[in-house]
């Protein structure tokens, strides 16, 4: 596998040299032993002992302007590195402000370790100032959570939290820290090995499972690889490329799987689902063997279940047994690491003649390519995304907010490597993309990081402009400004007789906003101005906002209307 998930690596030198007197100092020592070098957070009364301890240790703390910004930044950090993102917030509202990000990370299997302050143990349950039951609140959206009641338990809890967050299906793990624990005395300061009773990780598939998988493939006339974010999480992108190349089986991807397979590879049929390409959705509908790897058959992918890939033998490989058969019944279920499964698949002989099937998919792509109507009068969002790809040599890390611009970025930016595209998939969180770009830039200071945002989404965490400027992060923010909640408006146009109830939304002057925060602000209303703005933006060393004023009522196509099957795509809306 090309990229291993980072697990806690005990730094013995740190454990031997770091003097520990309080619970907070112990926590810092344990974090350093676990290899943590960056924390995203926001201080408050219940975590002041931790902040006091952080003052003396070599861990970089990024002070965001809102806890939601901190956790999305940690998600961005994690998504581009594969390492767990670390978050620190105080009790009560500090902790509850994290909940949206925790739920987002849970849905998208992003490894996070989250530390929340809590009132003292003796005050818990007494409605103390800034008390919230963050354990109860986050139980449905964390992989696991802990509350430390005895300082002697802290080393083992920290070790177990990192192990849980980064192994198996990754996810967020929360540790709640009563203030008396972090301010009280501590001495033991060695990070132990994780030991969790009953926690067993699926490894390689059984031989007979791979035999059945390969036998089904060898009998196929129209096989299709359906890949998702699990390919990226498991570091299996190169393996899936090798298998597709060797077997000549075409590939379709989910939104979160984009980048796991090069968009420009002739075997790639595109993203599937509600806004998937014509070729991808037709291929899923007509294939006879569907090999689903690291996916969860999300409803935005399947559309109407009865019409989803109706003629295929379905094979599902996933590390999470709970995903098998949850949404779609499968014929060959395999609970295993997808990377190890691909390794086994590469050892077997595959005898296929997919030339006719491959030619059919290429023909669909030629007949129904991604397209839009360019105009001399209006700047089109698709043009903006294509220009960004051109000016970044298709090599940028791209984050997005959620909405129409997210789909245009997914469809028109040619991603070629894993961890290049960072977006909110399962929860669909507006306000995610800009702080995620912040975190990605912290993790990859030499990379070109672009946040493609909508004018409405960007305003949900606009305050993080101060964080970006203060930390000298050269993030480029491209606002696709159509003066609407664009996807809401599109649905209102299609399904609510164009009654645009509360989807028209105003915005500040983004150029002046950029200037007020100390960033460079630019605006473009024509194609020529867009070219010039991007040239200036990427020559500038600091953060830039570009306000692309685009055609208001541009729509995203293709589209599978809600309740329809993947074979019922709309390529252009007819009133």
């Amino acid at each position: 596998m090309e990229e291993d998930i980072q697990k806690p690596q005990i730094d013995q030198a740190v454990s031997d040299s770091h003097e520990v007197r309080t619970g907070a100092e112990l926590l810092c020592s344990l974090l350093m032993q676990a290899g943590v070098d960056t924390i995203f957070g926001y201080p408050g009364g219940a975590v002041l002992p931790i902040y006091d301890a952080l003052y003396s240790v070599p861990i970089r703390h990024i002070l965001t302007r809102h806890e939601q910004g901190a956790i999305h930044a940690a998600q961005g950090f994690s998504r581009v590195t594969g390492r767990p993102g670390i978050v620190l917030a105080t009790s009560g509202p500090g902790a509850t402000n994290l909940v949206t990000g925790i739920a987002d990370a849970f849905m998208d299997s992003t490894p996070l370790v989250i530390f929340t302050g809590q009132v003292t143990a003796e005050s818990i349950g007494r409605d103390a100032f800034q008390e919230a039951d963050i354990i109860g609140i986050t139980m449905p959206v964390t992989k696991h959570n802990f509350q430390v009641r005895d300082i002697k338990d802290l080393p083992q809890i920290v070790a177990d939290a990192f192990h849980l967050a980064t192994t198996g299906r990754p996810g967020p793990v929360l540790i709640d820290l009563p203030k008396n624990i972090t301010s009280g005395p501590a001495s033991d300061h060695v990070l132990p090995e994780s030991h969790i009773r009953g926690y067993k990780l699926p490894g390689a598939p059984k031989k007979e499972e791979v035999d059945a998988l390969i036998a089904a493939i060898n009998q196929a006339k129209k096989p299709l690889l359906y890949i998702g974010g699990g390919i990226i999480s498991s570091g299996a992108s190169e393996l899936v490329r090798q298998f597709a190349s060797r077997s000549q089986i075409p590939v379709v991807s989910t939104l979160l799987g984009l980048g796991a397979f090069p968009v420009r590879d002739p075997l790639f049929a595109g993203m599937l689902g509600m806004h998937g390409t014509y070729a991808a959705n037709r291929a899923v509908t007509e294939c006879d063997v569907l090999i689903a790897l690291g996916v969860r058959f999300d409803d935005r992918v399947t559309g109407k279940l009865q019409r989803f890939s109706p003629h295929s033998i379905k094979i599902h490989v996933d590390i999470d047994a709970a995903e098998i058969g949850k949404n779609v019944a499968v014929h060959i279920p395999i609970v295993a690491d997808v990377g190890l499964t691909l390794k086994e698949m590469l050892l077997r002989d595959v005898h296929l003649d997919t030339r006719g099937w491959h030619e059919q998919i290429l023909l669909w792509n030629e007949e129904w390519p991604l397209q839009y109507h360019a105009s001399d009068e209006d700047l089109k969002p698709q043009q903006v995304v294509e220009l960004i790809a051109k000016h970044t040599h298709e090599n940028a890390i791209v984050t997005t907010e959620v909405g129409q611009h997210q789909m245009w970025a997914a469809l028109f930016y040619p991603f070629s490597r894993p961890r290049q595209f960072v977006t909110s998939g399962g929860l669909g969180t507006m306000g995610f993309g800009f702080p995620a770009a912040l975190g990605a830039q912290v993790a990859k200071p030499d990379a070109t990081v672009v946040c493609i945002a909508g004018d409405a989404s960007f305003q949900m965490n606009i305050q993080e402009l101060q964080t970006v400027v203060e930390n000298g992060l050269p993030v480029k923010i491209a606002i696709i400004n159509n003066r609407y909640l664009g996807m809401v408006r599109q649905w209102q146009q299609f399904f609510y007789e164009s009654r645009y109830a509360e989807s028209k939304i105003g915005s500040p002057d983004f150029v002046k906003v950029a200037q007020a925060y100390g960033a460079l602000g630019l605006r473009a209303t024509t194609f020529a101005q867009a070219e010039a703005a991007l040239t200036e933006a990427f020559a500038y060393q600091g953060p830039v906002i570009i306000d692309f004023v685009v055609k208001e009522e541009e729509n995203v196509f293709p589209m599978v209307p809600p309740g329809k099957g993947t074979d019922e795509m709309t390529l252009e809306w007819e009133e």
Side-chain angles (χ1 to χ4, degrees), residues 237-250:
S237 302
E238 180 56 33
L239 294 172
V240 81
R241 293 181 207 198
Q242 290 178 22
F243 184 77
S245 175
R246 184 178 297 180
S247 62
Q248 288 295 293
I249 298 178

Side-chain angles (χ1 to χ4, degrees), residues 310-423:
H311 313 298
S312 66
I313 293 172
K314 296 176 183 65
I315 302 164
H316 188 188
V317 181
D318 201 276
I319 201 164
D320 186 351
E323 290 297 338
I324 304 292
K326 185 173 78 175
N327 295 325
V328 172
V330 296
H331 302 85
I332 302 176
I334 300 177
V335 180
D337 181 283
V338 71
L340 295 175
T341 305
L342 279 161
K343 281 186 175 179
E344 291 295 323
M345 292 164 66
L346 282 164
L347 296 175
R348 308 299 180 91
D349 290 329
V350 174
H351 308 288
L352 287 174
D353 182 358
T354 62
R355 285 174 293 183
W357 173 231
H358 191 201
E359 287 171 3
Q360 174 63 74
I361 292 174
L362 291 174
L363 184 62
W364 284 330
N365 261 328
E366 290 173 8
E367 289 181 339
W368 303 103
L370 291 172
Q371 59 186 341
Y372 59 93
H373 300 295
S375 166
D376 294 333
E377 299 176 359
D378 298 301
L379 182 61
K380 293 295 186 74
Q382 301 92 330
Q383 289 176 312
V384 174
V385 176
E386 289 176 338
L387 280 174
I388 291 171
K390 171 187 167 185
H391 281 262
T392 58
H393 309 289
E394 304 179 3
N395 195 39
I397 292 172
V398 175
T399 76
T400 75
E401 299 287 350
V402 168
Q404 285 181 311
H405 66 276
Q406 178 189 31
M407 294 299 113
W408 284 315
L411 294 169
F412 287 91
Y413 196 101
F415 299 101
S416 60
R417 68 177 190 277
R419 304 194 183 282
Q420 188 183 5
F421 183 47
V422 180
T423 194

Side-chain angles (χ1 to χ4, degrees), residues 21 32 36 117 167 189 267 273 278 310 452 489 495 498 566 571 575:
R21 294 168 300 175
M32 288 189 293
V36 171
T167 56
H189 60 277
L267 285 169
Y278 181 86
I452 298 178
R489 186 209 54 74
F495 313 121
S498 298
T566 52
L571 301 174
E575 297 289 350

Side-chain angles (χ1 to χ4, degrees), residues 417-440:
R417 68 177 190 277
R419 304 194 183 282
Q420 188 183 5
F421 183 47
V422 180
T423 194
S424 172
L427 198 64
T429 304
M430 292 175 68
F432 169 89
F434 176 42
L438 184 167

